[in-house]
Amino acid sequence: MATTLFNASCSFPSIKVIDCKSYVGLRSNVSQVRVASLPVATSQRRSLVVRASSGHAKKLGRSDAECEAAVAAGDVPEAPPVPPKPVAPAGTPVIQPLNLNRRPRRNRASPTVRAAFQETDISPANFVYPLFIHEGEEDTPIGAMPGCYRLGWRHGLLQEVAKARAVGVNSIVLFPKVPEALKNPTGDEAYNDNGLVPRTIRLLKDKYPDLIIYTDVALDPYSSDGHDGIVREDGVIMNDETVHQLCKQAVSQARAGADVVSPSDMMDGRVGAIRAALDAEGFQNVSIMSYTAKYASSFYGPFREALDSNPRFGDKKTYQMNPANYREALIEAREDEAEGADILLVKPGLPYLDIIRLLRDKSPLPIAAYQVSGEYSMIKAGGVLKMIDEEKVMMESLMCLRRAGADIILTYFALQAATYLCNQKR
Ligand code: PBG
């Protein structure tokens, strides 16, 4: 007898919890776990085979033959009786059962069955943790985002990253609150190699070399107009000139050690231009996560408060997408793919599940979903007011983003949700 565990790996959690001692015929002795080729013609794969132990079975009394003979002779040992049918409450109508071929509830009948047939899973490895940073030394609470802070880049940030790593979240994305005095109409602080973001990246990489750092590429935190691009006197957001600035910004972030630069500005052609700029500077290995389908959404309100980055006038509708549009996301996705994006992002998350599904089905690239500030704050507020169960709604919303097709999720809940997942017993 041999039990074959395909794709078995020692780090796989469901294998790890196997206690060999509790399985008859299996010994925890590693020498009995060995890799062997299966004698199956169609399979050339090498598989992990756990062999039954060869020693003698423990003697309990009668031999197998004696037991079988006794049963054959009608001497059947006792077992518990067939359980009685559970009683329905008085008044339950007595009816003929429906004649159903299929009763889908059978596959949901118990926690074990439900776990066996669960189609989607979620783990801390799927999370990217957005973190707000500032020049200050204290952590300043963000009024519209309970539980979120502008973190001191040398103090609070390092502690928050350590906490996140402890529960398996090793990817972060940085959002800077830039001093007013450093903002100008062309957002030049965005590519200051010694600006807040590059400085912070260098510090983080020095302390945690394996941390994956995503950056935001857009001018809004650096622009005195609060727009993602350069604003002409007539209010037009200048596309190609902005892309020029974004390339400098991305290169500056890459130089500091960023792993993934993430243009969130929605200018046309920025992915290709950034790719070329990165490559020209030797940053072939820096990835681009493109905010492919970023909608002009009111769900960003709390974020803009956090960074004090509200547009000084107008809105972002000439560059961010119309929330009424679906097919247009495909145009953006095709461009980003052709220009060399490594990851396509949809933003916001929960109200745009159809867009996540669209890109998942139409593109082979990894898909990211951004559960944005307004989504986070609504769940937090509902929880504080005891209108919803915050933890359950948090986990459900994240699972739904995964089910819709998101590989990774940018979420302010990253630490809280990963902590929850780590505390779940497997
Ligand atoms: C800026 C940017 C925004 C967000 C991420 N990057 C705001 C905006 O486009 O106005 C929003 C994130 C959130 O609301 O959580 N380019």
Side-chain angles (χ1 to χ4, degrees), residues 1 20-27 32 50-54:
M1 185 190 84
C20 292
K21 282 179 224 125
S22 65
Y23 286 76
V24 177
L26 289 185
R27 293 237 184 106
Q32 288 175 332
V50 182
R51 293 208 167 275
S53 66
S54 49

Side-chain angles (χ1 to χ4, degrees), residues 6-88:
F6 287 101
N7 304 324
S9 131
C10 289
S11 63
F12 194 71
S14 65
I15 299 297
K16 244 202 290 189
V17 297
I18 289 182
D19 172 9
C20 292
K21 282 179 224 125
S22 65
Y23 286 76
V24 177
L26 289 185
R27 293 237 184 106
S28 52
N29 185 345
V30 251
S31 69
Q32 288 175 332
V33 176
R34 49 180 209 154
V35 175
S37 290
L38 272 189
V40 178
T42 52
S43 168
Q44 298 296 321
R45 286 202 296 167
R46 292 171 75 83
S47 308
L48 180 64
V49 174
V50 182
R51 293 208 167 275
S53 66
S54 49
H56 291 294
K58 213 164 152 204
K59 264 277 182 205
L60 284 175
R62 295 182 302 169
S63 70
D64 294 356
E66 286 163 347
C67 293
E68 288 193 351
V71 171
D75 177 11
V76 181
E78 287 262 320
V82 173
K85 284 226 165 101
V87 178

Side-chain angles (χ1 to χ4, degrees), residues 84-273:
K85 284 226 165 101
V87 178
T92 302
V94 179
I95 47 115
Q96 277 297 315
L98 296 173
N99 186 14
L100 300 181
N101 253 339
R102 201 165 284 291
R103 288 185 182 261
R105 290 183 55 188
R106 282 195 284 261
N107 287 348
R108 308 177 202 134
S110 73
T112 304
V113 168
R114 289 194 293 276
F117 303 130
Q118 179 159 321
E119 298 175 36
T120 307
D121 59 15
I122 189 162
S123 97
N126 302 124
F127 299 146
V128 179
Y129 194 11
L131 295 168
F132 299 108
I133 50 173
H134 69 166
E135 298 285 2
E137 299 188 340
E138 312 265 298
D139 299 337
T140 313
I142 298 164
M145 299 179 71
C148 288
Y149 298 80
R150 286 183 208 131
L151 301 164
W153 69 284
R154 278 181 302 174
H155 303 98
L157 173 69
L158 298 181
Q159 289 163 18
E160 196 69 7
V161 169
K163 281 191 224 160
R165 284 164 60 92
V167 290
V169 177
N170 200 30
S171 302
I172 62 155
V173 53
L174 293 172
F175 291 105
K177 161 131 184 359
V178 177
E180 254 343 280
L182 294 178
K183 298 184 182 182
N184 70 8
T186 43
D188 297 293
E189 178 63 12
Y191 54 86
N192 172 3
D193 281 344
N194 213 24
L196 179 55
V197 167
R199 238 185 295 137
T200 303
I201 296 171
R202 293 189 326 250
L203 178 67
L204 285 172
K205 280 285 174 181
D206 185 56
K207 203 161 160 48
Y208 306 116
D210 64 335
L211 179 73
I212 301 297
I213 303 181
Y214 292 67
T215 56
D216 193 64
V217 179
L219 297 185
D220 51 331
Y222 311 91
S223 153
S224 45
D225 294 315
H227 275 286
D228 292 28
I230 301 172
V231 187
R232 210 167 57 188
E233 122 188 287
D234 57 358
V236 165
I237 310 296
M238 302 175 78
N239 193 87
D240 301 11
E241 294 75 3
T242 297
V243 170
H244 179 85
Q245 298 291 76
L246 299 177
C247 289
K248 288 168 61 175
Q249 181 181 18
V251 167
S252 171
Q253 293 167 344
R255 202 177 283 129
D259 299 280
V260 186
V261 298
S262 325
S264 69
D265 54 287
M266 291 300 280
M267 297 301 121
D268 295 333
R270 88 281 208 214
V271 171

Side-chain angles (χ1 to χ4, degrees), residues 130 132 145 175 216-221 226-228 262-266 291 294-304 307 309-311 316 319-320 347-348 370-376 410 412:
F132 299 108
M145 299 179 71
F175 291 105
D216 193 64
V217 179
L219 297 185
D220 51 331
H227 275 286
D228 292 28
S262 325
S264 69
D265 54 287
M266 291 300 280
Y291 284 60
K294 176 173 179 179
Y295 286 85
S297 171
S298 299
F299 284 94
Y300 309 148
F303 174 97
R304 293 180 190 168
L307 296 188
S309 65
N310 258 302
K316 300 192 174 184
Y319 44 108
Q320 299 179 350
K347 175 181 178 188
Y370 199 145
Q371 182 179 54
V372 300
S373 56
E375 299 175 68
Y376 168 85
L410 285 72
Y412 303 98

